[in-house]
Amino acid sequence: MLKAEVIYGDDLLDREVTSGFGCDLISDSLCYARPGCLLLTGLTNIQIIRLAEMVEARGIVFVRGKRPGPEVIELARQKNLPLLATNMFLFESCGILYQAGLRSS
């Protein structure tokens, strides 16, 4: 639906996702993201993996064509966290997932 490329975790894509959360602010993500969510963000630094672990996210979709560096991908591999990337904007990506039935955190 998002025309996303799998950066890491082809074998992890069958995980159940209970909600979606789109944000580029770590503080808001910590407050509002819920366990089991799919994170959508333009943040590509190492903190996004640590955040995903803290909120028990099931995966991360990087938007706006952003791609994480090798150290971020390696940490995601260690944490068994699937990473995807789409050229779509955050708003558009969230809207598509919402229309498909994924609800917000």
Side-chain angles (χ1 to χ4, degrees):
M1 290 186 289
L2 300 180
K3 300 175 186 141
E5 171 193 351
V6 179
I7 298 170
Y8 169 75
D10 282 307
D11 57 330
L12 303 172
L13 298 181
D14 61 350
R15 291 180 168 181
E16 183 180 350
V17 173
T18 56
S19 63
F21 186 77
C23 189
D24 283 348
L25 293 173
I26 295 281
S27 58
D28 281 356
S29 299
L30 283 169
C31 288
Y32 302 112
R34 299 290 174 249
C37 74
L38 178 65
L39 289 176
L40 292 94
T41 187
L43 300 175
T44 60
N45 56 35
I46 199 99
Q47 286 82 7
I48 198 64
I49 304 299
R50 299 194 196 293
L51 167 75
E53 183 179 29
M54 288 170 43
V55 300
E56 299 176 34
R58 297 287 169 96
I60 300 172
V61 178
F62 297 102
V63 297
R64 299 189 302 273
K66 302 237 179 150
R67 297 186 56 86
E71 69 283 349
V72 174
I73 297 168
E74 174 57 25
L75 186 56
R77 186 191 64 72
Q78 291 172 21
K79 303 295 181 184
N80 227 19
L81 184 68
L83 303 177
L84 296 92
T86 181
N87 287 326
M88 293 181 183
F89 286 96
L90 181 61
F91 181 79
E92 181 181 16
S93 298
C94 290
I96 288 169
L97 294 175
Y98 187 83
Q99 276 190 318
L102 187 64
R103 294 303 173 231
S104 92
S105 282

XYZ file of all heavy atoms in Angstrom:
806
model
N 0.812 -1.198 0.000
C 0.000 0.000 0.000
C 0.859 1.266 0.000
O 0.468 2.263 -0.575
C -0.916 0.016 1.219
C -2.020 -1.010 1.169
S -3.208 -0.887 2.511
C -2.226 -1.461 3.863
N 1.995 1.213 0.701
C 2.876 2.388 0.780
C 3.993 2.353 -0.256
O 4.834 3.242 -0.264
C 3.485 2.485 2.184
C 2.508 2.628 3.338
C 3.261 2.718 4.659
C 1.597 3.819 3.158
N 3.996 1.312 -1.084
C 5.076 1.141 -2.064
C 6.433 1.226 -1.362
O 7.350 1.894 -1.810
C 4.961 2.174 -3.176
C 3.661 2.076 -3.929
C 3.512 3.170 -4.946
C 2.110 3.071 -5.534
N 1.497 4.331 -5.777
N 6.509 0.549 -0.212
C 7.703 0.620 0.635
C 8.706 -0.466 0.274
O 8.344 -1.569 -0.109
C 7.313 0.497 2.102
N 9.956 -0.115 0.446
C 11.066 -1.054 0.287
C 11.423 -1.584 1.673
O 11.503 -0.818 2.635
C 12.267 -0.316 -0.300
C 13.535 -1.125 -0.301
C 14.768 -0.280 -0.583
O 14.636 0.907 -0.938
O 15.869 -0.825 -0.431
N 11.630 -2.874 1.770
C 12.061 -3.455 3.034
C 13.570 -3.269 3.155
O 14.327 -3.753 2.317
C 11.700 -4.959 3.128
C 12.195 -5.540 4.446
C 10.201 -5.152 2.991
N 13.983 -2.549 4.169
C 15.406 -2.313 4.427
C 15.980 -3.466 5.230
O 17.080 -3.929 4.980
C 15.607 -0.987 5.188
C 15.117 0.174 4.333
C 17.065 -0.815 5.586
C 15.051 1.489 5.078
N 15.218 -3.898 6.212
C 15.607 -5.050 7.023
C 14.347 -5.758 7.514
O 13.367 -5.108 7.864
C 16.437 -4.643 8.250
C 16.585 -5.801 9.203
C 17.456 -6.839 8.909
C 15.792 -5.909 10.326
C 17.540 -7.944 9.730
C 15.860 -7.007 11.158
C 16.744 -8.028 10.853
O 16.801 -9.131 11.662
N 14.389 -7.077 7.541
C 13.340 -7.851 8.184
C 12.293 -8.439 7.270
O 11.134 -8.556 7.679
N 12.665 -8.847 6.068
C 11.696 -9.502 5.176
C 10.939 -10.616 5.887
O 9.745 -10.800 5.672
C 12.406 -10.115 3.957
C 12.773 -9.078 2.926
O 11.885 -8.323 2.512
O 13.957 -9.028 2.534
N 11.626 -11.340 6.722
C 11.037 -12.485 7.416
C 10.221 -12.078 8.651
O 9.636 -12.932 9.309
C 12.126 -13.468 7.824
C 13.196 -12.844 8.705
O 13.449 -11.628 8.569
O 13.777 -13.561 9.537
N 10.156 -10.786 8.941
C 9.429 -10.302 10.118
C 8.137 -9.572 9.756
O 7.466 -9.031 10.632
C 10.326 -9.360 10.931
C 11.657 -9.929 11.397
C 12.523 -8.839 12.006
C 11.432 -11.060 12.381
N 7.788 -9.548 8.489
C 6.664 -8.735 8.036
C 5.296 -9.329 8.357
O 4.280 -8.683 8.127
C 6.778 -8.467 6.533
C 8.015 -7.687 6.109
C 8.002 -7.476 4.600
C 8.127 -6.361 6.838
N 5.262 -10.516 8.911
C 3.977 -11.119 9.258
C 3.544 -10.790 10.685
O 2.543 -11.290 11.168
C 4.020 -12.626 9.058
C 5.071 -13.314 9.924
O 5.904 -12.615 10.538
O 5.059 -14.556 9.988
N 4.273 -9.920 11.349
C 3.915 -9.510 12.707
C 2.591 -8.765 12.714
O 2.311 -7.973 11.829
C 4.969 -8.562 13.277
C 6.272 -9.219 13.556
C 7.237 -8.205 14.113
N 8.393 -8.885 14.644
C 9.402 -8.276 15.212
N 9.388 -6.962 15.340
N 10.418 -8.958 15.674
N 1.811 -9.017 13.763
C 0.552 -8.295 13.908
C 0.830 -6.882 14.428
O 1.566 -6.694 15.396
C -0.374 -9.009 14.884
C -1.705 -8.326 15.012
C -2.645 -9.031 15.978
O -2.330 -10.145 16.395
O -3.677 -8.421 16.312
N 0.249 -5.912 13.763
C 0.353 -4.508 14.164
C -1.025 -4.086 14.641
O -2.017 -4.280 13.946
C 0.818 -3.639 12.973
C 0.762 -2.167 13.317
C 2.211 -4.050 12.523
N -1.089 -3.527 15.844
C -2.390 -3.180 16.424
C -2.805 -1.732 16.185
O -3.970 -1.394 16.322
C -2.388 -3.449 17.936
O -1.320 -2.719 18.540
C -2.196 -4.933 18.218
N -1.830 -0.879 15.839
C -2.138 0.532 15.595
C -0.981 1.159 14.836
O 0.069 0.551 14.660
C -2.364 1.281 16.917
O -1.183 1.278 17.696
N -1.196 2.388 14.413
C -0.144 3.145 13.733
C 0.109 4.448 14.465
O -0.792 5.000 15.106
N 1.344 4.932 14.352
C 1.676 6.215 14.962
C 2.684 6.926 14.072
O 3.766 6.411 13.821
C 2.253 6.032 16.367
C 2.463 7.338 17.069
C 1.392 8.016 17.615
C 3.715 7.910 17.136
C 1.571 9.249 18.239
C 3.908 9.140 17.754
C 2.830 9.807 18.304
N 2.335 8.105 13.599
C 3.209 8.888 12.738
C 3.642 10.164 13.429
O 2.802 10.942 13.882
N 4.963 10.364 13.505
C 5.469 11.535 14.213
C 6.965 11.698 13.959
O 7.674 10.718 13.752
C 5.207 11.354 15.703
S 5.547 12.816 16.697
N 7.433 12.927 14.000
C 8.862 13.208 13.902
C 9.418 13.780 15.198
O 10.527 14.295 15.213
C 9.148 14.180 12.749
C 9.092 13.502 11.395
O 9.058 12.254 11.340
O 9.085 14.214 10.374
N 8.670 13.689 16.276
C 9.139 14.170 17.574
C 9.281 13.002 18.539
O 8.304 12.294 18.810
C 8.162 15.186 18.168
C 8.028 16.508 17.436
C 6.890 17.320 18.048
C 9.325 17.282 17.493
N 10.474 12.794 19.049
C 10.724 11.708 19.996
C 9.836 11.861 21.232
O 9.238 10.891 21.700
C 12.221 11.674 20.410
C 13.103 11.341 19.209
C 12.442 10.709 21.557
C 13.169 9.904 18.820
N 9.716 13.078 21.757
C 8.945 13.287 22.981
C 7.480 12.913 22.793
O 6.881 12.257 23.644
C 9.072 14.727 23.472
O 8.635 15.627 22.465
N 6.886 13.297 21.669
C 5.492 12.929 21.408
C 5.349 11.426 21.211
O 4.377 10.821 21.664
C 4.957 13.660 20.175
C 4.576 15.093 20.467
O 4.656 15.515 21.647
O 4.199 15.806 19.518
N 6.307 10.833 20.551
C 6.267 9.385 20.339
C 6.307 8.643 21.668
O 5.590 7.657 21.864
C 7.436 8.945 19.458
O 7.365 9.570 18.199
N 7.134 9.110 22.578
C 7.207 8.479 23.901
C 5.882 8.597 24.647
O 5.485 7.686 25.363
C 8.326 9.104 24.730
C 9.739 8.652 24.386
C 10.765 9.533 25.083
C 9.940 7.192 24.747
N 5.208 9.711 24.478
C 3.948 9.937 25.197
C 2.769 9.183 24.591
O 1.902 8.714 25.324
C 3.604 11.422 25.197
S 4.658 12.405 26.266
N 2.722 9.081 23.274
C 1.488 8.625 22.634
C 1.569 7.300 21.881
O 0.525 6.693 21.638
C 0.971 9.705 21.685
C 0.718 11.006 22.389
C 1.503 12.120 22.132
C -0.301 11.119 23.337
C 1.279 13.327 22.793
C -0.528 12.316 23.997
C 0.261 13.419 23.719
O 0.042 14.586 24.369
N 2.740 6.850 21.494
C 2.842 5.571 20.782
C 2.533 4.439 21.756
O 2.879 4.509 22.930
C 4.237 5.416 20.181
N 1.875 3.418 21.272
C 1.447 2.298 22.112
C 2.104 0.996 21.685
O 2.468 0.842 20.519
C -0.073 2.132 22.036
C -0.842 3.336 22.529
C -0.714 3.493 24.045
N -1.326 4.713 24.511
C -0.647 5.738 24.995
N 0.659 5.701 25.065
N -1.264 6.820 25.418
N 2.246 0.056 22.609
C 2.809 -1.252 22.254
C 2.051 -1.878 21.087
O 0.825 -1.763 20.994
C 2.618 -2.076 23.531
C 2.616 -1.064 24.633
C 1.914 0.136 24.039
N 2.789 -2.496 20.193
C 2.204 -3.147 19.032
C 2.009 -2.240 17.834
O 1.496 -2.665 16.807
N 2.428 -0.983 17.952
C 2.202 -0.033 16.862
C 3.253 -0.155 15.757
O 4.325 -0.724 15.935
C 2.176 1.397 17.388
S 3.792 2.059 17.852
N 2.913 0.409 14.629
C 3.841 0.623 13.527
C 4.207 2.094 13.573
O 3.331 2.961 13.510
C 3.169 0.281 12.200
C 3.993 0.498 10.946
C 5.208 -0.452 10.931
C 3.140 0.300 9.706
N 5.499 2.395 13.729
C 5.950 3.786 13.763
C 6.210 4.269 12.349
O 6.895 3.592 11.581
C 7.239 3.917 14.563
C 7.168 3.751 16.065
C 8.579 3.811 16.662
C 6.290 4.804 16.688
N 5.717 5.442 12.014
C 6.011 6.092 10.747
C 6.708 7.391 11.079
O 6.195 8.194 11.871
C 4.732 6.363 9.957
C 4.031 5.102 9.448
C 2.981 4.651 10.415
C 3.458 5.350 8.079
N 7.871 7.611 10.485
C 8.682 8.768 10.860
C 9.684 9.144 9.770
O 10.016 8.327 8.921
C 9.424 8.485 12.183
O 10.078 9.674 12.618
C 10.428 7.367 12.044
N 10.153 10.357 9.858
C 11.254 10.809 9.017
C 12.570 10.809 9.776
O 13.612 11.134 9.224
N 12.532 10.437 11.050
C 13.746 10.384 11.863
C 14.533 9.125 11.521
O 13.987 8.034 11.531
C 13.400 10.377 13.351
C 12.635 11.581 13.878
C 12.268 11.362 15.340
C 13.450 12.843 13.700
N 15.802 9.288 11.255
C 16.625 8.138 10.856
C 17.818 7.915 11.775
O 18.688 7.118 11.455
C 17.139 8.316 9.413
O 17.925 9.511 9.347
C 16.006 8.369 8.410
N 17.851 8.576 12.900
C 19.000 8.404 13.801
C 18.801 7.185 14.698
O 17.736 6.583 14.745
C 19.252 9.678 14.622
C 18.029 10.109 15.398
O 17.263 9.292 15.866
N 17.848 11.419 15.526
N 19.826 6.833 15.415
C 19.834 5.627 16.247
C 18.766 5.674 17.346
O 18.260 4.633 17.770
C 21.248 5.392 16.830
C 21.408 3.938 17.283
C 21.564 6.321 17.972
C 22.107 3.099 16.297
N 18.376 6.874 17.771
C 17.384 7.001 18.834
C 16.030 6.440 18.427
O 15.255 6.025 19.282
C 17.236 8.468 19.278
C 18.385 8.978 20.097
C 19.570 9.413 19.249
O 19.504 9.450 18.026
N 20.677 9.720 19.906
N 15.732 6.398 17.126
C 14.430 5.890 16.702
C 14.321 4.390 16.986
O 13.246 3.894 17.314
C 14.129 6.226 15.219
C 12.636 6.083 14.935
C 14.948 5.401 14.272
C 11.750 7.034 15.692
N 15.428 3.672 16.930
C 15.412 2.246 17.256
C 15.213 2.071 18.759
O 14.432 1.230 19.201
C 16.712 1.549 16.802
C 16.952 1.754 15.302
C 16.681 0.064 17.173
C 15.880 1.200 14.400
N 15.902 2.878 19.536
C 15.744 2.807 20.992
C 14.307 3.174 21.399
O 13.726 2.566 22.288
C 16.750 3.707 21.664
C 18.188 3.295 21.345
C 19.204 3.946 22.239
N 20.553 3.861 21.748
C 21.269 2.748 21.623
N 20.744 1.592 21.930
N 22.513 2.777 21.178
N 13.753 4.180 20.741
C 12.369 4.566 20.991
C 11.425 3.409 20.661
O 10.537 3.078 21.455
C 11.999 5.791 20.152
C 10.504 6.099 20.097
C 10.046 6.711 21.404
C 10.185 6.987 18.932
N 11.612 2.804 19.509
C 10.755 1.688 19.097
C 10.811 0.564 20.121
O 9.783 -0.051 20.437
C 11.183 1.185 17.720
N 11.978 0.314 20.647
C 12.122 -0.721 21.663
C 11.356 -0.325 22.939
O 10.664 -1.147 23.534
C 13.598 -0.934 21.972
C 13.851 -2.040 22.956
C 15.324 -2.257 23.224
O 16.125 -1.299 23.125
O 15.669 -3.394 23.567
N 11.469 0.934 23.344
C 10.808 1.395 24.572
C 9.288 1.333 24.475
O 8.621 0.986 25.447
C 11.262 2.816 24.909
C 12.685 2.862 25.401
S 13.416 4.509 25.567
C 12.177 5.478 26.297
N 8.736 1.660 23.309
C 7.277 1.665 23.166
C 6.757 0.322 22.640
O 5.571 0.168 22.411
C 6.777 2.830 22.275
C 7.171 4.168 22.871
C 7.231 2.678 20.845
N 7.669 -0.624 22.460
C 7.333 -1.967 21.971
C 6.658 -1.928 20.609
O 5.649 -2.614 20.355
C 6.465 -2.702 22.993
C 7.152 -2.888 24.331
C 6.265 -3.538 25.374
O 5.431 -4.387 25.009
O 6.421 -3.174 26.559
N 7.215 -1.115 19.705
C 6.710 -1.029 18.335
C 7.028 -2.324 17.586
O 7.995 -3.016 17.903
C 7.335 0.166 17.620
N 6.233 -2.619 16.586
C 6.420 -3.833 15.796
C 7.246 -3.595 14.542
O 7.656 -4.543 13.889
C 5.070 -4.398 15.391
C 4.232 -4.834 16.563
C 4.792 -6.130 17.153
N 4.182 -6.452 18.416
C 3.162 -7.288 18.554
N 2.646 -7.866 17.512
N 2.674 -7.512 19.751
N 7.476 -2.327 14.198
C 8.261 -2.003 13.017
C 8.294 -0.503 12.799
O 7.562 0.249 13.455
N 9.174 -0.094 11.879
C 9.315 1.330 11.556
C 9.236 1.498 10.047
O 9.867 0.757 9.296
C 10.667 1.886 12.050
C 10.801 1.750 13.562
C 10.838 3.350 11.617
C 12.181 2.108 14.088
N 8.478 2.515 9.621
C 8.443 2.929 8.219
C 9.033 4.322 8.148
O 8.520 5.254 8.780
C 7.006 2.939 7.652
C 7.018 3.433 6.209
C 6.374 1.560 7.745
N 10.112 4.459 7.402
C 10.723 5.768 7.179
C 10.049 6.403 5.970
O 9.910 5.767 4.923
C 12.230 5.634 6.939
C 12.960 5.062 8.121
C 13.357 3.735 8.125
C 13.239 5.836 9.230
C 14.020 3.186 9.208
C 13.894 5.300 10.333
C 14.290 3.970 10.313
N 9.612 7.644 6.122
C 8.863 8.348 5.079
C 9.742 9.383 4.381
O 10.880 9.609 4.767
C 7.594 9.011 5.670
C 6.641 7.960 6.213
C 7.943 10.019 6.747
N 9.172 9.994 3.332
C 9.827 11.063 2.569
C 11.143 10.614 1.929
O 12.042 11.424 1.729
C 10.053 12.301 3.446
C 8.773 12.911 3.989
C 8.994 14.248 4.660
N 9.934 14.237 5.756
C 9.644 13.965 7.031
N 8.410 13.653 7.374
N 10.569 14.016 7.957
N 11.271 9.323 1.637
C 12.481 8.821 0.982
C 13.696 8.748 1.885
O 14.806 8.505 1.419
N 13.497 8.928 3.168
C 14.625 8.880 4.115
C 15.052 7.438 4.332
O 14.221 6.526 4.321
C 14.229 9.518 5.437
C 13.783 10.955 5.299
C 14.608 11.828 6.144
C 14.177 13.271 5.975
N 14.410 14.019 7.169
N 16.342 7.261 4.554
C 16.897 5.934 4.805
C 17.879 6.024 5.959
O 18.690 6.943 6.018
C 17.618 5.412 3.570
C 16.689 5.214 2.385
C 17.399 4.566 1.226
N 18.005 3.301 1.574
C 17.401 2.125 1.558
N 16.133 2.069 1.215
N 18.028 1.026 1.874
N 17.830 5.061 6.869
C 18.768 5.075 7.998
C 20.153 4.620 7.567
O 20.310 3.938 6.551
C 18.145 4.052 8.956
C 17.448 3.091 8.049
C 16.922 3.928 6.913
N 21.134 5.006 8.371
C 22.508 4.587 8.122
C 22.755 3.157 8.578
O 21.892 2.534 9.221
N 23.934 2.638 8.279
C 24.249 1.254 8.614
C 24.187 0.940 10.104
O 23.789 -0.169 10.492
C 25.670 1.047 8.082
C 26.116 2.327 7.492
C 24.989 3.298 7.544
N 24.542 1.883 10.957
C 24.507 1.626 12.403
C 23.075 1.472 12.902
O 22.803 0.690 13.815
C 25.256 2.702 13.185
C 24.615 4.076 13.194
C 24.778 4.899 11.913
O 25.574 4.502 11.029
O 24.110 5.938 11.801
N 22.151 2.193 12.300
C 20.739 2.086 12.669
C 20.186 0.738 12.193
O 19.477 0.051 12.931
C 19.929 3.263 12.072
C 18.441 3.094 12.326
C 20.431 4.584 12.641
N 20.537 0.365 10.989
C 20.091 -0.919 10.449
C 20.648 -2.067 11.289
O 19.932 -3.029 11.595
C 20.493 -1.056 8.968
C 19.787 0.024 8.136
C 20.182 -2.454 8.442
C 20.314 0.170 6.723
N 21.893 -1.972 11.692
C 22.511 -3.016 12.514
C 21.804 -3.140 13.861
O 21.546 -4.248 14.340
C 23.998 -2.743 12.714
C 24.686 -3.697 13.668
C 24.580 -5.168 13.288
O 24.397 -5.489 12.100
O 24.666 -6.012 14.199
N 21.469 -2.022 14.499
C 20.774 -2.081 15.776
C 19.368 -2.670 15.599
O 18.910 -3.457 16.423
C 20.711 -0.710 16.443
C 20.137 -0.686 17.857
C 20.901 -1.626 18.796
C 20.141 0.733 18.410
N 18.703 -2.325 14.507
C 17.391 -2.908 14.220
C 17.521 -4.423 14.048
O 16.666 -5.177 14.519
C 16.791 -2.281 12.971
N 18.572 -4.867 13.395
C 18.810 -6.293 13.233
C 18.986 -6.961 14.594
O 18.389 -7.994 14.876
C 20.037 -6.544 12.361
C 20.248 -8.022 12.028
C 21.595 -8.284 11.402
N 22.699 -7.992 12.302
C 23.029 -8.722 13.377
N 22.340 -9.784 13.713
N 24.052 -8.375 14.129
N 19.772 -6.331 15.462
C 19.996 -6.866 16.805
C 18.696 -6.939 17.609
O 18.506 -7.845 18.411
C 21.017 -6.024 17.558
C 22.411 -6.114 17.025
C 23.342 -5.110 17.686
O 23.085 -4.618 18.779
N 24.435 -4.792 17.004
N 17.818 -5.977 17.390
C 16.552 -5.899 18.132
C 15.419 -6.636 17.412
O 14.286 -6.647 17.881
C 16.133 -4.439 18.353
C 17.166 -3.599 19.080
C 17.373 -4.090 20.484
C 18.385 -3.219 21.212
N 18.680 -3.718 22.539
N 15.729 -7.207 16.236
C 14.736 -7.936 15.458
C 13.549 -7.045 15.084
O 12.384 -7.423 15.229
C 14.262 -9.164 16.231
C 14.242 -10.387 15.368
O 14.890 -10.432 14.330
N 13.504 -11.380 15.787
N 13.846 -5.847 14.596
C 12.849 -4.835 14.289
C 12.838 -4.555 12.787
O 13.833 -4.068 12.241
C 13.180 -3.552 15.071
C 12.210 -2.409 14.971
C 10.892 -2.767 15.659
C 12.801 -1.166 15.606
N 11.743 -4.848 12.105
C 11.699 -4.597 10.669
C 11.708 -3.101 10.347
O 11.094 -2.298 11.048
C 10.397 -5.250 10.215
C 9.604 -5.491 11.430
C 10.523 -5.475 12.602
N 12.422 -2.774 9.275
C 12.526 -1.399 8.798
C 12.074 -1.350 7.348
O 12.489 -2.181 6.539
C 13.971 -0.901 8.877
C 14.671 -0.940 10.222
C 16.109 -0.465 10.074
C 13.924 -0.105 11.247
N 11.262 -0.353 7.027
C 10.814 -0.141 5.661
C 11.006 1.325 5.304
O 11.093 2.175 6.198
C 9.337 -0.517 5.504
C 9.011 -1.990 5.727
C 8.626 -2.233 7.172
C 7.908 -2.422 4.806
N 11.028 1.621 4.014
C 11.167 3.009 3.562
C 10.215 3.258 2.402
O 10.073 2.421 1.507
C 12.599 3.285 3.130
N 9.558 4.411 2.442
C 8.661 4.824 1.364
C 9.001 6.255 0.953
O 9.517 7.037 1.766
C 7.180 4.733 1.783
O 6.360 5.133 0.682
C 6.856 5.608 2.980
N 8.713 6.584 -0.283
C 8.908 7.956 -0.757
C 7.721 8.850 -0.409
O 7.779 10.058 -0.595
C 9.144 7.971 -2.262
C 10.511 7.450 -2.611
O 11.475 7.643 -1.873
N 10.619 6.765 -3.735
N 6.653 8.244 0.092
C 5.460 9.024 0.432
C 5.716 9.908 1.651
O 6.588 9.622 2.456
C 4.293 8.087 0.735
C 3.817 7.311 -0.451
S 2.431 6.264 0.021
C 2.153 5.430 -1.525
N 4.907 10.958 1.753
C 4.973 11.824 2.919
C 4.278 11.158 4.104
O 3.478 10.235 3.946
C 4.324 13.179 2.626
C 5.161 14.054 1.743
C 4.935 14.105 0.373
C 6.189 14.808 2.288
C 5.724 14.904 -0.442
C 6.974 15.612 1.483
C 6.743 15.663 0.108
N 4.559 11.632 5.291
C 3.995 11.083 6.518
C 2.468 11.141 6.495
O 1.792 10.151 6.785
C 4.556 11.827 7.737
C 4.090 11.373 9.113
C 4.472 9.916 9.365
C 4.695 12.263 10.186
N 1.916 12.278 6.141
C 0.465 12.469 6.125
C -0.206 11.480 5.185
O -1.187 10.822 5.538
C 0.142 13.915 5.717
C -1.315 14.225 5.683
C -2.010 14.487 6.858
C -1.999 14.265 4.489
C -3.362 14.782 6.827
C -3.352 14.552 4.453
C -4.036 14.808 5.621
N 0.343 11.352 3.996
C -0.210 10.443 2.999
C -0.120 8.983 3.463
O -1.076 8.214 3.355
C 0.538 10.624 1.677
C 0.045 9.759 0.553
C 0.838 9.951 -0.723
O 1.947 10.517 -0.687
O 0.335 9.501 -1.760
N 1.023 8.618 4.009
C 1.231 7.245 4.487
C 0.252 6.888 5.587
O -0.358 5.813 5.574
C 2.666 7.074 4.999
O 3.602 7.297 3.971
N 0.103 7.777 6.549
C -0.838 7.533 7.654
C -2.267 7.436 7.129
O -3.042 6.577 7.568
C -0.730 8.631 8.699
S 0.814 8.597 9.637
N -2.621 8.291 6.182
C -3.972 8.276 5.612
C -4.278 6.971 4.897
O -5.368 6.409 5.044
N -3.333 6.464 4.142
C -3.517 5.198 3.426
C -3.717 4.057 4.410
O -4.617 3.220 4.247
C -2.314 4.929 2.491
C -2.372 5.901 1.307
C -2.285 3.480 2.018
C -1.111 5.915 0.462
N -2.885 4.012 5.440
C -3.006 2.945 6.439
C -4.310 3.067 7.223
O -4.954 2.074 7.535
C -1.796 2.943 7.360
C -0.476 2.578 6.680
C 0.686 2.719 7.661
C -0.520 1.186 6.082
N -4.716 4.290 7.523
C -5.977 4.511 8.231
C -7.163 4.041 7.391
O -8.061 3.364 7.881
C -6.118 5.988 8.601
C -7.307 6.264 9.482
C -7.232 6.069 10.855
C -8.508 6.705 8.946
C -8.330 6.313 11.669
C -9.605 6.954 9.750
C -9.512 6.750 11.118
O -10.597 6.999 11.912
N -7.146 4.388 6.112
C -8.224 3.962 5.203
C -8.278 2.438 5.087
O -9.345 1.875 4.868
C -8.035 4.555 3.816
C -8.588 5.939 3.675
C -8.594 6.396 2.235
O -7.640 6.173 1.502
N -9.674 7.028 1.838
N -7.134 1.794 5.242
C -7.075 0.328 5.160
C -7.501 -0.337 6.463
O -7.539 -1.565 6.539
C -5.663 -0.109 4.775
N -7.802 0.460 7.498
C -8.311 -0.102 8.742
C -7.387 -0.032 9.929
O -7.764 -0.408 11.036
N -6.154 0.430 9.744
C -5.229 0.563 10.872
C -5.603 1.823 11.653
O -5.704 2.906 11.087
C -3.786 0.654 10.377
C -2.708 0.627 11.455
C -2.722 -0.704 12.198
C -1.336 0.867 10.831
N -5.813 1.676 12.916
C -6.209 2.805 13.751
C -5.016 3.408 14.471
O -3.965 2.798 14.575
C -7.280 2.374 14.756
C -8.584 1.988 14.075
C -9.103 3.147 13.231
N -10.263 2.784 12.436
C -10.358 3.013 11.131
N -9.373 3.546 10.467
N -11.444 2.709 10.478
N -5.197 4.595 15.000
C -4.097 5.318 15.621
C -3.831 4.806 17.040
O -4.697 4.221 17.674
C -4.375 6.811 15.632
O -4.993 7.221 16.799
N -2.608 5.052 17.489
C -2.225 4.651 18.859
C -2.985 5.460 19.867
O -3.315 6.577 19.672
C -0.733 4.902 19.075
O 0.010 3.895 18.461
